[in-house]
Amino acid sequence: MSGTRGSGSPSCPAFDRLGELDLPCTLLLGEQDQPEVIRCNEAMAARIPGCRLVRHPECDHFPTLRAPWDVVRLVIDLRERAQAC
């Protein structure tokens, strides 16, 4: 994870605070992304309580471009889960 920038870096203070999130979260992981990014996203999802980790086998780092309708469905589902809270 040392080569990633921002939110996934263990040196980033926000990474250690992901467990404080108390709202529905979904993380979409493109399985064609770089292995380091995949590991980082898995670690982030593991730290977020109740996070739904969705793996898209045909996507890289840009699921909004590669599978936009799948992203739309996930956003709608997340919205519905948030409203139910």
Side-chain angles (χ1 to χ4, degrees):
M1 285 186 276
S2 61
T4 58
R5 285 185 50 191
S7 62
S9 173
S11 64
C12 179
F15 189 81
D16 291 329
R17 298 190 64 200
L18 291 172
E20 297 175 25
L21 292 173
D22 64 349
L23 66 162
C25 294
T26 299
L27 196 152
L28 178 57
L29 170 64
E31 292 198 334
Q32 301 300 315
D33 208 335
Q34 299 295 316
E36 187 172 335
V37 175
I38 291 172
R39 285 190 302 273
C40 179
N41 280 274
E42 290 169 338
M44 289 171 50
R47 288 176 177 259
I48 300 171
C51 181
R52 179 179 174 209
L53 178 62
V54 177
R55 297 174 180 273
H56 199 297
E58 300 168 6
C59 284
D60 54 12
H61 194 71
F62 301 103
T64 53
L65 297 175
R66 312 290 187 238
W69 294 113
D70 292 339
V71 174
V72 168
R73 283 189 288 274
L74 288 172
V75 170
I76 290 169
D77 176 69
L78 180 61
R79 179 179 168 261
E80 290 170 356
R81 288 194 300 142
Q83 288 179 327
C85 291

